[in-house]
Structures are given as C-alpha cells and as structure tokens.
Amino acid sequence: MADISLRKVSKRFKAVTAVDGLSLDIADGEFTVLLGPTGAGKTTTLRIVAGLERPDEGEVWIDGRNAQGLEPAARDVTFVFQQYSLYPHLSVFDNLAFPLRSPARRVAEAEIKERVEEIAGLLRIGHKLKNKSTQLSGGEMQRVAIGRALVRRPSAYLMDEPLSSLDAKLRGDLRLELKRIQQDLGATILYVTHDQIEAMTMANRIGVIDKGRLIQVGTPRQIYEDPASVYVAQRFGQPQINLLPAGLLPNGFLPHGAVTVGARTEHLDLRIDRDGPARVEWVEHLGDQNHLHLRLGDHQITTLTPPDTPFKSGDRIAVGLMKPLYFDGEGLRVRIA
Ligand code: ADP
Ligand code: MG
C-alpha cells in the first residue's frame, strides 16, 4: 500500500471552481473520508488522484512519487464508482477475476483463483461465485463491484460513494465489512461520501469539504467534539446541533466574541420546572430513543432522550447548558482559552 498526498490542488470548469487549493495527506494504510454535500468537489478530487482529470494547479503524489504525467493505469490506484457496473454475461468469479486477466498483468490462473476466493470470502459472496451477476441482489452486485477493486491489490483505493445506491440495512452491513476488510488488508483508502454516519464509523480521519475547499481535517472524534465552525458542527450528530443566540440561556459566562451557542444533547441539562422558559412541543417516539422538541421563545430545540423519558407535550422545562460550543458572527468557533 502507499501514501497519497494532495498539494494545493485546484480544478476549475469554466466559472466553477470544483476543487480549490486542496491539500491533504493520506498515510499508508489510512482510511480517509472526504465528507461534503453534492457539488462539493468530491468526485473531481478522486478523479484528479486517479489521473482521470488534470489539475489546473497543484500536485498529487502517490507512494512518494509525483504523479504528474503518469497515466491512470500507471498510478496503480483503483476506483470504485457510485454505480456498480458488472459484466452481466459473466459469472461472479469471472467478474472478480477480470482485472487480473488483463494482458498487461498476466497473473497465473492458480493465483487468480486464490485471490478471487480470498476476496469473495472477505465480502461473503464465496457461495455465489458460479452465479451470473444478473442473478444477484443489489447488495451482492455492489459487493462484487467492490471486490473487483480489492482483488487487484493496488497501492490505494479511491471510492466514490460506493454504498449510496443501497438500502439502509445493506449500507450498514457493508460499512462494517468495508472497515474490517480495510483493516485486514492494511489498505490505503480515500473514500468520499455525503453520509455523516459512513464518515464517523469508517474513517481514521475525516476531511470536511465544501465548495472545493477542505474546511477541517481530524479524527471522527476531533471533528465531532471540536468543530472549527458552525458548518462542520451541523454536519455531525443526530439530531442536528441546536444553534441559539448567545445569552438566550443563562450559563453564567460567555467567551469574548461569542454570538451563537451550539448545543447538542450532551450539552443540555433539562428539568421539568413550572417556571421554566421552554415548553415541550412534541415527543417523537423512535422506540429505542425519543426526539424531544422544545420551544423557547422563537427558537426550536431538539434533543435525544431515553425511551423512558418523563417529558411529555406541554411540560414547562428549565434548560441549562453544559460546556456548549461557541461561535462568532462569521460562524467560526470561539474556543475557551
Ligand atoms: P461532488 O462529487 O462532491 O458532488 P463534483 O466533483 O462532481 O462534486 O463537482 C464539483 C463541481 O464541479 C460541481 O459544481 C459540478 O457541477 C462541477 N463539475 C464537475 N465536473 C464537471 C465537468 N466535467 N464539467 C463542468 N463542471 C463540472
Ligand atoms: Mg460525486
């Protein structure tokens, strides 16, 4: 496996700056996730690393070599696309073996068999190897598509929202499996998604990207607990972080420059209090937990509560803050020294 380094990479399409001065180092064996909404520049970034797109500025280094001028095939990275494309007339085995049978590679059939069976086992499709790919479910097809990338043993894998076309249950299963496989293989992966759960659960490090710019890079825990801005804070956590004007709730002290208070469930201390300033508007029962919707003047607060919550619609609530996050007028974090 190899490391990947993006150095001040920019790419414009006419008036659109798809990638804007993006620098990111991905260590050998690291699973890095770029998280951002549609149009953020995720696919373009992957295509630049793969050599499918040429950056206007900046450099890509793969395994310690400047990749400029290297054709995609010479970069030794594989790309897993959002939409799987299998050869329908081939069996699962032959689909998986396909990348190894290219004339350029000349892998012996015995080794092909060994590698295909190993990867099929990892992806739990070992019993489907003789099936035609058209006889598979959507989830199985996507496993084969991922397997076709894994079987090649490249320097690094580039994955473009590979789970987004699957239903929630399969996404959850494959998320776990991909992470396990990545650890087993020690694979270097650059994975892009708009799904915060995928980013939180699979990444060693997350890069939050918006409008082509990398806004913050850190471990899932750092990004969640110590977001650099409102934008980053809003990308993580269910329900979304509550944003309230600073000073709306009494908490004794406000750091200089704080204009907005960000409060997630763990920052809120709620008590039933007939003189409390907030009121329970709605308790949303999700079974294993509840979403509690409060109204406080013109503001809405949503938090998680356990299934046996004592709160019910109409209750008056006193709201306390416990080490919330503070942001300035620009939405940037105000940290307490
Ligand atoms: P993402 O994968 O995060 O959704 P993309 O990298 O696909 O984002 O796109 C980033 C921006 O660049 C978008 O505004 C998109 O419309 C634009 N873009 C991407 N590829 C092209 C292209 N080949 N020609 C023109 N504009 C493009
Ligand atoms: Mg995309």
Side-chain angles (χ1 to χ4, degrees):
M1 287 289 146
D3 52 351
I4 298 174
S5 172
L6 289 125
R7 303 187 183 168
K8 296 187 181 158
V9 169
S10 292
K11 176 74 187 175
R12 281 173 289 277
F13 297 105
K14 299 210 174 81
V16 178
T17 302
V19 181
D20 192 358
L22 193 145
S23 295
L24 178 66
D25 288 315
I26 300 146
D28 187 7
E30 188 178 40
F31 197 141
T32 300
V33 175
L34 277 182
L35 179 86
T38 302
K42 303 182 299 294
T43 297
T44 305
T45 302
L46 288 187
R47 288 175 55 82
I48 289 170
V49 175
L52 301 170
E53 207 80 69
R54 187 183 289 273
D56 298 320
E57 283 142 36
E59 292 169 353
V60 174
W61 288 62
I62 299 171
D63 203 10
R65 283 194 303 167
N66 188 339
Q68 191 178 5
L70 286 184
E71 290 301 309
R75 295 189 178 204
D76 195 27
V77 293
T78 39
F79 209 125
V80 181
F81 296 95
Q82 190 165 358
Q83 286 302 332
Y84 42 81
S85 53
L86 301 180
Y87 300 105
H89 57 286
L90 295 183
S91 67
V92 169
F93 185 97
D94 289 332
N95 265 286
L96 288 170
F98 197 87
L100 300 176
R101 287 181 173 147
S102 97
R105 271 181 248 285
R106 296 173 187 279
V107 183
E109 271 307 309
E111 192 185 340
I112 289 177
K113 182 164 182 292
E114 197 177 304
R115 282 214 227 164
V116 166
E117 284 174 356
E118 183 199 348
I119 293 297
L122 283 175
L123 286 163
R124 307 204 168 120
I125 44 175
H127 57 298
K128 299 274 179 171
L129 285 172
K130 293 201 174 78
N131 289 43
K132 282 266 163 51
S133 60
T134 46
Q135 296 168 315
L136 303 177
S137 69
E140 287 164 348
M141 284 194 209
Q142 188 63 342
R143 280 168 210 244
V144 177
I146 292 168
R148 230 166 37 181
L150 296 177
V151 79
R152 264 193 47 197
R153 297 192 191 155
S155 301
Y157 301 99
L158 308 173
M159 301 195 179
D160 193 355
E161 314 211 26
L163 307 185
S164 63
S165 58
L166 305 175
D167 67 42
K169 165 84 171 79
L170 272 170
R171 264 203 324 268
D173 289 352
L174 271 180
R175 215 164 57 210
L176 277 172
E177 283 174 32
L178 255 185
K179 183 66 195 170
R180 179 177 53 76
I181 290 165
Q182 184 261 341
Q183 284 176 341
D184 288 354
L185 297 178
T188 307
I189 299 183
L190 177 55
Y191 183 107
V192 310
T193 183
H194 64 270
D195 183 316
Q196 56 158 304
I197 310 273
E198 286 178 16
M200 288 294 288
T201 54
M202 291 193 292
N204 297 119
R205 279 190 315 149
I206 298 171
V208 180
I209 181 175
D210 183 38
K211 301 191 184 83
R213 285 173 170 271
L214 199 57
I215 300 191
Q216 187 174 1
V217 182
T219 64
R221 190 158 173 191
Q222 283 166 346
I223 297 261
Y224 180 81
E225 290 180 359
D226 194 16
S229 64
V230 165
Y231 179 87
V232 175
Q234 286 181 306
R235 299 258 112 34
F236 297 93
Q238 261 308 331
Q240 221 179 40
I241 191 166
N242 297 287
L243 299 173
L244 301 167
L248 183 73
L249 292 170
N251 67 323
F253 134 98
L254 271 179
H256 181 70
V259 171
T260 303
V261 172
R264 294 189 173 117
T265 298
E266 59 269 32
H267 303 130
L268 289 164
D269 173 28
L270 306 180
R271 277 173 296 109
I272 294 176
D273 176 345
R274 70 162 71 162
D275 300 319
R279 194 171 61 85
V280 177
E281 282 205 313
W282 189 248
V283 184
E284 209 176 359
H285 297 280
L286 302 177
D288 56 342
Q289 59 196 27
N290 297 315
H291 282 184
L292 189 66
H293 299 275
L294 307 178
R295 176 153 290 280
L296 177 65
D298 293 338
H299 301 279
Q300 188 89 36
I301 298 175
T302 303
T303 76
L304 276 179
T305 59
D308 58 352
T309 178
F311 302 117
K312 54 188 189 311
S313 279
D315 284 347
R316 303 294 316 183
I317 303 286
V319 183
L321 289 171
M322 300 177 295
K323 298 187 181 165
L325 306 176
Y326 298 99
F327 302 96
D328 69 13
E330 243 92 76
L332 296 178
R333 186 76 181 286
V334 178
R335 290 193 170 81
I336 299 161

